[in-house]
Amino acid sequence: MKLRKKIIAGNWKMNKTVGDAQELASAVKLELAECREVDVVLCPPFTALKAVGEIIDNTSIKLGAQNMHWEPDGAYTGEISASMLRDLYCHYVILGHSERRTYFGETDAIVNHKVKAALDSNLLPIVCVGETLEEREAGRTQEVIQTQVEGSLSGLAAELKQVIVAYEPIWAIGTGRTATPEMAQEAHAFIRRILTGLSDAETAETVRIQYGGSMKPGNAEELLSQPDIDGGLIGGAALDARSFVEIVRHGM
Ligand code: PEP
């Protein structure tokens, strides 16, 4: 038995009306409804969660959201809580995506609140970290990743087993530039060492670390064959059923 089952998640971002989302989810379901080798997750926009959830009901494909608020309820106009996501049968939630950090000012402390709220509601958080090109070129990649991982996951120990980390170098997101498998492996192994420091080696060995950043059918196999790359968080290529399914097959 493999220690870590691969997990491939499609982050549809702010794309797809309900009808388009139903079409895409149906096409993915046709190929992956019975997929047991890899955990497959679809993360449509909030507006399409219910419709996509109905389509993938009774399959092995799971539903995820792209964000949530840390409070259980209250006067937070425009926000969505963990229990609201559970209500729609979400299993996962992406937290601290670089687009949330860049455009909506999410800090590690905010992400940490959200991670704890997600776990309290039995949602599995996919926690995103990654450096900018400027930071990489200045030789600060490890420092940046360490700050983000420790800040986003502080105060968790055994619960870390429920967390998925996504390493997403910002310069590779939506740019067509992918980290080389060696670069990604190095970052993933480093993240696992940080996780060991936050908990213990046994716990850190169970945590799945996804790679994200222009993963496509053409580069997925090499990336997914690295020892510490346990899956992918897919943006652009997840909007096309054929590409997404092909990436999942490379993870099998
Ligand atoms: C993402 O935004 O999580 C992502 C990995 O996007 P893309 O695959 O388009 O680079």
Side-chain angles (χ1 to χ4, degrees), residues 81-205:
S81 73
S83 60
M84 292 170 182
L85 298 179
R86 289 293 298 162
D87 220 18
L88 295 176
Y89 305 103
C90 280
H91 275 75
Y92 295 87
V93 60
I94 300 171
L95 296 175
H97 190 280
S98 64
E99 287 150 18
R100 301 285 328 162
R101 292 175 185 264
T102 305
Y103 304 134
F104 303 98
E106 289 196 11
T107 61
D108 293 327
I110 289 175
V111 177
N112 186 242
H113 278 310
K114 293 186 176 194
V115 170
K116 288 174 176 162
L119 291 170
D120 283 346
S121 291
N122 286 323
L123 276 170
L124 303 180
I126 297 177
V127 181
C128 304
V129 298
E131 80 287 359
T132 63
L133 185 59
E134 204 180 21
E135 289 161 344
R136 176 164 280 269
E137 287 176 347
R140 295 185 51 227
T141 299
Q142 293 202 342
E143 168 199 331
V144 169
I145 293 176
Q146 180 153 9
T147 303
Q148 290 180 343
V149 173
E150 290 181 348
S152 303
L153 301 179
S154 90
L156 306 175
E159 304 99 303
L160 271 181
K161 288 187 181 176
Q162 313 296 319
V163 171
I164 294 107
V165 177
Y167 169 61
E168 300 206 300
I170 295 171
W171 48 271
I173 296 178
T175 58
R177 285 184 64 174
T178 321
T180 63
E182 295 71 28
M183 274 159 100
Q185 165 58 28
E186 193 185 332
H188 283 228
F190 178 66
I191 290 170
R192 205 173 302 286
R193 288 203 294 280
I194 303 169
L195 295 173
T196 304
L198 289 175
S199 53
D200 54 68
E202 192 216 321
T203 302
E205 280 302 312

Side-chain angles (χ1 to χ4, degrees), residues 11 13 97 99 168 172-176 212-215 233-237:
N11 173 13
K13 308 193 184 186
H97 190 280
E99 287 150 18
E168 300 206 300
I173 296 178
T175 58
S214 297
M215 194 187 270
L233 182 54
I234 321 296

Side-chain angles (χ1 to χ4, degrees), residues 29-30 32-36 50-63 88-89 91:
K29 173 181 163 175
L30 214 56
L32 298 175
E34 303 295 324
C35 177
R36 307 264 170 240
K50 188 165 192 292
V52 170
E54 282 166 3
I55 287 170
I56 60 177
D57 190 26
N58 285 319
T59 73
S60 57
I61 304 168
K62 297 281 188 275
L63 192 63
L88 295 176
Y89 305 103
H91 275 75

